[in-house]
Amino acid sequence: MKNNKIIAIWGNPNSGKTTLSIKISNELAKKNKSVILVMADPYAPAIHTVLPFTETKEQSLGALLSSIQISQESILKKCIPVPNTKNLSVLSYLHGENLRTYADYGKERVLDLFILLKHLADHIIVDCSSQFHHDLLSRGALELSDQVIRLISPDLKAISFYDASLPLLGERKYNVANHITVLSNVKPEMPKDIIGNRFGGIKNELDYSEELERQVLEARLFETLTDKKSQGYNKQLQSLMDNLFFGEDDHEEKEKKKEKKLKIPFLKKGSDA
């Protein structure tokens, strides 16, 4: 598995950033990887929309960022464990908080946070705010992450958003050319080809799933998709995971295992003859 420590997930409004962040975090946790999911959006804190019955005990990401100093211990105290998982936790602003709830913090604090997070978990998934130009934490994640997934919804508003926003990421440090672009929440009737061509072609897609939509509405995103109609989404998610976390060595190893499985029945058949 690739040594990707920080994955930033960013996109236009309503493109499914939080949904994908949770699904990727879940998949990593299933592989016994320790994961901290950072919900960076201070405009609409997400924790109580995805874990509404979880007690937070003043475990606010905003309080952490505005504290005099941060340490591994203080980060762990603010982490909210996800129920029914052993190695997945969340850092988030809390319900009702906003940009004025806490004191301002600087870029050095963001850098400190990500450096410390790298020592606390195998992977850090950052659910970024669409309005990164007003959010220092999301902007820092786009700059400091090992990989950025850029979600694009297949509609004309996405084109308008990116035409306005991408020029703000023109500096080399944001490495926009290496973003993994994903067309998200795709329905058959949507003009995905038009949108894809507008962005120079998009190889990765995530189809619309009715079951996934129900999970969003019922705050059950940390559950696995089991409906047969969600198989397409699950396969696309796994393909994206392979792209993100599995390198050539892993791919070769998987191919060798496949070859070995194919050879064993053949040899047995030959011996019986």
Side-chain angles (χ1 to χ4, degrees):
M1 182 172 275
K2 286 183 182 178
N3 192 30
N4 283 335
K5 280 287 186 178
I6 303 176
I7 306 295
I9 298 177
W10 174 63
N12 60 280
N14 300 314
S15 58
K17 298 179 294 297
T18 299
T19 297
L20 182 59
S21 297
I22 290 175
K23 292 306 181 186
I24 287 178
S25 298
N26 269 343
E27 290 301 311
L28 289 171
K30 289 177 186 177
K31 297 180 186 297
N32 295 319
K33 298 295 180 181
S34 57
V35 184
I36 297 177
L37 169 58
V38 181
M39 293 182 166
D41 190 350
Y43 299 99
I47 187 66
H48 285 160
T49 67
V50 296
L51 292 173
F53 305 111
T54 300
E55 187 176 353
T56 55
K57 300 178 181 178
E58 300 182 354
Q59 293 164 293
S60 171
L61 173 59
L64 178 67
L65 289 168
S66 61
S67 58
I68 296 176
Q69 62 180 6
I70 59 174
S71 62
Q72 291 184 10
E73 183 180 1
S74 63
I75 291 173
L76 290 173
K77 286 181 178 179
K78 297 300 182 184
C79 282
I80 302 166
V82 176
N84 303 318
T85 65
K86 296 180 179 179
N87 49 1
L88 174 57
S89 59
V90 178
L91 279 174
S92 174
Y93 291 90
L94 302 184
H95 182 74
E97 295 182 344
N98 56 54
L99 289 174
R100 296 188 178 182
T101 305
Y102 299 101
D104 291 337
Y105 58 90
K107 185 176 180 179
E108 296 78 10
R109 177 52 51 86
V110 174
L111 180 60
D112 289 343
L113 175 65
F114 284 126
I115 289 174
L116 291 169
L117 282 171
K118 277 196 169 188
H119 295 285
L120 290 174
D122 295 319
H123 296 288
I124 311 300
I125 308 299
V126 187
D127 175 17
C128 296
S129 167
S130 294
Q131 308 303 324
F132 66 93
H133 44 285
H134 294 308
D135 176 27
L136 188 58
L137 180 58
S138 293
R139 193 160 69 248
L142 292 175
E143 177 184 348
L144 299 170
S145 63
D146 298 290
Q147 184 66 67
V148 175
I149 301 174
R150 189 200 312 167
L151 292 179
I152 303 169
S153 57
D155 55 56
L156 298 180
K157 282 189 175 182
I159 293 178
S160 178
F161 173 83
Y162 282 111
D163 282 349
S165 299
L166 284 178
L168 300 175
L169 296 175
E171 296 178 63
R172 186 176 181 181
K173 62 184 179 180
Y174 292 113
N175 202 16
V176 170
N178 286 333
H179 287 186
I180 295 177
T181 53
V182 179
L183 204 60
S184 177
N185 201 29
V186 180
K187 296 180 180 179
E189 67 272 17
M190 289 179 165
K192 67 176 186 178
D193 292 335
I194 296 174
I195 304 300
N197 291 335
R198 179 63 179 77
F199 291 100
I202 300 175
K203 296 180 180 179
N204 304 284
E205 292 185 12
L206 289 170
D207 288 341
Y208 166 80
S209 164
E210 184 178 346
E211 182 186 13
L212 186 60
E213 184 176 42
R214 289 199 305 270
Q215 285 188 349
V216 172
L217 295 173
E218 298 169 4
R220 297 188 294 108
L221 279 173
F222 285 96
E223 296 180 13
T224 302
L225 293 171
T226 58
D227 196 308
K228 287 185 178 180
K229 293 181 180 179
S230 299
Q231 288 180 354
Y233 179 92
N234 284 331
K235 288 180 180 178
Q236 291 166 331
L237 177 62
Q238 288 303 320
S239 177
L240 182 60
M241 294 286 294
D242 288 345
N243 191 8
L244 276 170
F245 299 104
F246 291 96
E248 294 181 1
D249 293 339
D250 298 283
H251 179 72
E252 290 177 2
E253 186 63 29
K254 289 168 73 175
E255 290 299 316
K256 287 179 181 177
K257 288 181 179 179
K258 286 182 181 178
E259 290 178 5
K260 188 176 181 180
K261 287 181 180 179
L262 288 172
K263 286 179 179 178
I264 291 173
F266 175 77
L267 290 173
K268 285 183 178 179
K269 184 177 179 180
S271 61
D272 290 340

